[in-house]
Amino acid sequence: MSLYELSQNALMASLLIYSASFFFYMIAVGGKKWSNREPQAHAARWGWIGFAVAALGLAAHITFFITRWMAAGHIPVSNMYEFMTMLAMAIMIAFVITYLIYRKALLGVFTLPLAVIIIAYASVFPSEIQPLIPSLNSSWLRLHVTLAALGEAFFAVSFAAALIFLIRVTDYKRTDKSAKAARRWLEFVLLVILIVVGFLGSVFTFRAAGYEAVFTQVETVKTPQGEEQTVTREVRYELPPFVQPHSSEVVSMQPFLGLTEPLFEAPSWMNGVNAGRKLNTIIWSILTGVILYGLLRLIFRKQLGAVIHPVLSDIDPDDLDEISYRSIAIGFPVFTLGALVFAMIWAQYAWGRFWGWDPKETWALITWLFYTAYLHLRLSRGWHGTKSAWLAVIGFVVVLFTLIGVNLVIAGLHSYAGVS
Amino acid sequence: MISNTKCECGHQNPVGTVLCEACGKPLLEELMQDSEAPLEMRYEGAARRSQKANPHLIDRIWNFFSSVKVAVWLIVITLVAASLGTFLPQESTILNLHTYEEFHEYYKSEYGRTGEIFHALGLTRVYDSWWFITLLVMIGTSLVVCSLDRVIPLYRALSKQQVRRHWQFITRQQVAYVGDAPQDREAWLDRFAKELKKKRYKVRRDGDALMAEKDRFSRWGPYINHVGLIIFLLAVLSRSIPGWNIDTYISLDDGETEQIPGTRYYVKSEKFTVEFYTDDELPESMKGKLRPKLFNTKAILYECVEACGDPTREPVLKKVKEHDIRVNHPLEYKGLKLYQYDYTPQVKLISVSPKIVNKETGEEYGPFTLRMRDPDLTYQVGPYTLTLRDKFMEFGGFDAEGRPMSKSREPIAPAFVFIIKGPGLPESGETYIYFPRDIDKVIFQQDVLNKAIADKVEIRVSSMEDVEFSEFTSTLNVRTDRAMPFVWVGASIFLIGVAMGSYWHHRRVWLRFDGDKMALGAHTNKNHIGLRREVSGILARSGLPVPENTLDNRRKSH
């Protein structure tokens, strides 16, 4: 077995172990009211089992990281696959630290799936080891990426705590307008999470089935000299195409449930690289996410928040508020150091300027400004609790946009980290 | 709202004080009424400058910038402005366009209506616009004012803390405990103080009252990080000072030396190399693709020591540094930095070493070295004398009036016009045009141009060894940025401050007796759970087991 294969197996192992740990945490939290047991002792016992298993998963994850590092000859943080697997690892490290401080089993119930989802998302990208291009060959870059991910991981833990807080404090009995609105927003967040799950589910299902559709797209591009040129490009889909790229023709397409040709064409203003494929992927994700949500609603016959809410009744919301705040307070200096200061030092060495308003750079600053505003608002009365929790949720959305959205929507210097 | 500023303990407090500076008794009417709710401990309840009665204009400006609410709004507006600027490429990233109209056309044709609106609103040139810089300056002002408004009263309050505090002050802390006093108060206090010291608390006692405190320095973290940010912002703004910031580009062929504009320095590129990964090094999906591995300019930096700027003399250069400039490894010398920026594959001749052949006798003379840049004007080769009359670096044929012309100054297709004197040639010499590249000889028909002299002599290179050429032109980015040290100092101070404030927490414990009752209060600015756990542990080890969650004062209030 080569080092590379060893590392791939270690990652797969960690994925399975994390899932097991999630299961144990579920027992710890959900099984408290089972008969013939002392709730406190039960939670403590299964909480520790969950934690031990999570730590084992993290050990496998670190093994993946180190063996891949050895196989590649450079620290694996230089493309989207490597970054995302490391982000998941950082989240687990942040989880271990926060868990050791607060010992709340619930944190495991929400953080472990997050790590699993991110590893799954990483697996959407090619896992092969790529040699470095010169600008990425820098120790400052490695420090930058690693520490930025660690800071973001604490923001992720804060997001998890904030989400539990919101489900915990949402009132499922009141019938007034504001209570209904609060429940609806919470349902929306859960729906978005299911859309992400839907995205992963559809990508892996069709990948396993070996689905493929191929198009040729004719594009007009401007050369730097201002001349117009037509370029013919081949676009490959892994998901059945509802939408085909703008001004393209079908080369080959496996039929899917009677769908033998795309339903429509991407509009012309969507002219970015692979815009048609991205649109198609988004449609698929939303579709599967909504179907998943609908199925769950049919099974439980109530809002999903209302399904989780009763499990959380004996948790002190003030503690959750504190954990969410504290994770941000711990992550903020790390994020500043990693995502801004080391990034500036690297930029200074690589391009001779420490700041260039590149979209990715700017979004890192926006993330920082957002959490700065959060930390200042915590000083004011009235910004603890629900408002603060919503900010932590939005903050994590900003983090995800910086990491993924910028690459999806806006291309810049960081576009090496391509997105499916 | 605030009427009586004199506390019952006799201390005279400034207007705006929330908690008595001496004993901590709540001074506001509404705070006294709700006698259960935990106290707001921000800035120790001390009065700030911005809370002065009867504000004047300066006070009003001060008050505006001292508000955290205003600071948050400034941050949010900056955040939104910065994000709007990322959705379309900024004007500064678009090459070759300059005027407002050109940009208008560009955004209109590339992004349609959206592009037009973005451009009209100025969202395509956010980051160097006057309003964005004004926002940054306002944030800077807010940083200064907010910090000064709070740090001075906070410092005063913390440096003159009284041990014995008001009963309400203690019982209305977020972590609080009220219980029966132990039998032997003195002995118990000794034991309690010992346990506190084990946890690094500094313990002070005043009769039967006790106060313990640790990590007060963490309270200065926010103010230190603000100082760092101010230095950082000033450094960034100072980059517009003339001469503090050089940013130019120099393109060098192998072997070429050029002056760095505006300095006494010259840089020479010995050789530029580019390496690509071989197929063995590439994963399956990338095989056959060009993936760069290394860009390297072997550079020498010279300093001019004599005859600098004198057009009649050659400058005297002294070598000061030799460095392989690679991406991520710039050449650095006294604040001057040279970065590998770009390269173009373009074959250019550096020099040739041809021989002169007498075609009638077959005799060869030479070789002599002919440099493309700054060639010598006369050459003595055997019996021949060559005088350089003209040169064309990229020969472009003849213009309408039959005069030869050059398309550029780069030695891409050079041609040299010599006057040759020597055996078999007229006294006054013959004109001979020489193309060093064989291909140009054919294209421009050297022999036809030279007419009769072409049968008498020939200048020619016998092998490739006599030709020196450059394969690439390397472009270096020249930077000087005198603000950089301040940028790094500001960033470092910021990080130190943030770490102080985030990873250490100011914890205080107060204890007093009132009759046969004992009251304990504890305060921290972060991590109440940790404080509860610590206090509960210390109490337990002092023989007073109190469960963690009963110390939580918040739960009692709602």
Side-chain angles (χ1 to χ4, degrees), chain A residues 9-148:
Chain A
N9 291 340
L11 185 68
M12 187 46 77
S14 76
L15 191 67
L16 294 175
I17 300 172
Y18 287 153
S19 309
S21 160
F22 168 61
F23 182 70
F24 293 134
Y25 273 123
M26 289 274 274
I27 295 178
V29 172
K32 266 187 267 192
K33 290 177 190 119
W34 289 347
S35 55
N36 67 39
R37 61 190 67 209
E38 177 77 31
Q40 290 254 304
H42 169 89
R45 180 154 169 261
W46 285 96
W48 277 114
I49 294 177
F51 181 72
V53 174
L56 188 69
L58 181 59
H61 204 152
I62 292 172
T63 309
F64 152 78
F65 190 74
I66 292 172
T67 45
R68 189 178 172 92
W69 188 340
M70 287 156 67
H74 59 82
I75 183 169
V77 292
S78 58
N79 59 29
M80 207 57 162
Y81 174 81
E82 294 175 347
F83 179 76
M84 282 295 156
T85 48
M86 191 202 44
L87 180 65
M89 186 170 86
I91 288 177
M92 288 309 298
I93 292 171
F95 165 73
V96 166
I97 293 172
T98 330
Y99 190 82
L100 286 176
I101 300 177
Y102 293 110
R103 320 248 163 97
K104 300 277 177 232
L106 253 186
L107 220 47
V109 177
F110 284 79
T111 319
L112 279 154
L114 195 64
V116 169
I117 286 176
I118 290 176
I119 297 176
Y121 179 67
S123 311
V124 169
F125 301 97
S127 69
E128 59 190 21
I129 293 170
Q130 300 165 343
L132 290 178
I133 58 172
S135 63
L136 298 188
N137 193 359
S138 153
S139 340
W140 292 111
L141 168 71
R142 286 154 207 161
L143 279 170
H144 152 51
V145 178
T146 321
L147 280 175

Side-chain angles (χ1 to χ4, degrees), chain A residues 101 128 131-132 134-135 138 316 319 322 325-326 330 333-334 336-337 346 348 350 352 357 363 366 369 379, chain B residues 42 75 83 86 127 277 283 285 291-292 328 339 479 494-495 498 502-503 505 526-528 532-533 555:
Chain A
I101 300 177
E128 59 190 21
L132 290 178
S135 63
S138 153
D316 182 10
D319 286 353
E322 167 109 15
Y325 168 52
R326 196 67 199 299
I330 294 174
V334 181
T336 313
L337 182 65
W346 172 48
Q348 181 72 19
W357 296 107
W363 273 94
I366 290 167
L369 286 173
L379 295 174
Chain B
R42 284 181 305 162
I75 293 170
S83 67
T86 61
Y127 308 115
Y277 284 103
S285 69
R291 191 174 173 87
N328 280 314
Y339 295 87
R479 299 291 320 249
F494 174 80
L495 285 170
V498 162
S502 306
Y503 300 141
H505 313 119
K526 262 184 212 83
N527 192 6
H528 294 103
R532 284 202 310 262
R533 190 174 297 160
R555 234 172 298 240

Side-chain angles (χ1 to χ4, degrees), chain A residues 354-365:
Chain A
F354 70 99
W355 195 262
W357 296 107
D358 168 75
K360 193 95 172 176
E361 245 174 359
T362 310
W363 273 94
L365 176 68

Side-chain angles (χ1 to χ4, degrees), chain B residues 498-515:
Chain B
V498 162
M500 274 168 64
S502 306
Y503 300 141
W504 282 272
H505 313 119
H506 184 208
R507 287 180 176 179
R508 280 175 297 170
V509 179
W510 298 274
L511 187 129
R512 69 175 279 175
F513 298 101
D514 224 29

Side-chain angles (χ1 to χ4, degrees), chain A residues 33-305:
Chain A
K33 290 177 190 119
W34 289 347
S35 55
N36 67 39
R37 61 190 67 209
E38 177 77 31
Q40 290 254 304
H42 169 89
R45 180 154 169 261
W46 285 96
W48 277 114
I49 294 177
F51 181 72
V53 174
L56 188 69
L58 181 59
H61 204 152
I62 292 172
T63 309
F64 152 78
F65 190 74
I66 292 172
T67 45
R68 189 178 172 92
W69 188 340
M70 287 156 67
H74 59 82
I75 183 169
V77 292
S78 58
N79 59 29
M80 207 57 162
Y81 174 81
E82 294 175 347
F83 179 76
M84 282 295 156
T85 48
M86 191 202 44
L87 180 65
M89 186 170 86
I91 288 177
M92 288 309 298
I93 292 171
F95 165 73
V96 166
I97 293 172
T98 330
Y99 190 82
L100 286 176
I101 300 177
Y102 293 110
R103 320 248 163 97
K104 300 277 177 232
L106 253 186
L107 220 47
V109 177
F110 284 79
T111 319
L112 279 154
L114 195 64
V116 169
I117 286 176
I118 290 176
I119 297 176
Y121 179 67
S123 311
V124 169
F125 301 97
S127 69
E128 59 190 21
I129 293 170
Q130 300 165 343
L132 290 178
I133 58 172
S135 63
L136 298 188
N137 193 359
S138 153
S139 340
W140 292 111
L141 168 71
R142 286 154 207 161
L143 279 170
H144 152 51
V145 178
T146 321
L147 280 175
L150 190 60
E152 282 149 356
F154 279 101
F155 297 158
V157 172
S158 160
F159 160 76
L163 192 61
I164 313 171
F165 174 90
L166 289 172
I167 302 176
R168 167 70 180 80
V169 299
T170 301
D171 196 327
Y172 282 91
K173 292 196 188 78
R174 267 163 57 194
T175 51
D176 56 296
K177 247 188 180 165
S178 69
K180 273 187 186 163
R183 292 200 289 262
R184 239 178 261 131
W185 278 109
L186 196 54
E187 287 299 292
F188 178 70
V189 174
L190 295 173
L191 173 64
V192 170
I193 294 173
L194 285 176
I195 287 174
V196 174
V197 174
F199 161 72
L200 297 171
S202 34
V203 166
F204 289 116
T205 309
F206 285 103
R207 195 176 278 181
Y211 185 87
E212 192 181 63
V214 184
F215 301 89
T216 51
Q217 183 180 18
V218 181
E219 256 192 311
T220 314
V221 291
K222 268 196 182 135
T223 60
Q225 285 77 35
E227 295 154 21
E228 293 203 341
Q229 273 183 347
T230 54
V231 179
T232 312
R233 205 196 306 238
E234 198 183 66
V235 185
R236 241 165 242 282
Y237 278 33
E238 284 191 317
L239 298 173
F242 292 127
V243 48
Q244 68 181 72
H246 179 66
S247 67
S248 67
E249 279 180 33
V250 182
V251 176
S252 69
M253 176 182 160
Q254 298 173 14
F256 167 73
L257 296 180
L259 184 76
T260 51
E261 59 181 71
L263 298 177
F264 61 99
E265 193 180 282
S268 62
W269 52 267
M270 289 191 127
N271 49 9
V273 180
N274 293 326
R277 184 170 72 199
K278 287 175 190 170
L279 179 64
N280 191 56
T281 309
I282 290 169
I283 293 174
W284 262 102
S285 311
I286 294 178
L287 200 71
T288 40
V290 168
I291 291 173
L292 262 176
Y293 180 81
L295 281 176
L296 289 170
R297 283 293 292 267
L298 270 178
I299 295 169
F300 292 112
R301 306 209 165 258
K302 53 181 159 185
Q303 286 182 320
L304 298 190

Side-chain angles (χ1 to χ4, degrees), chain B residues 519-533:
Chain B
L520 177 146
H523 176 260
T524 183
N525 54 339
K526 262 184 212 83
N527 192 6
H528 294 103
I529 300 177
L531 178 65
R532 284 202 310 262
R533 190 174 297 160

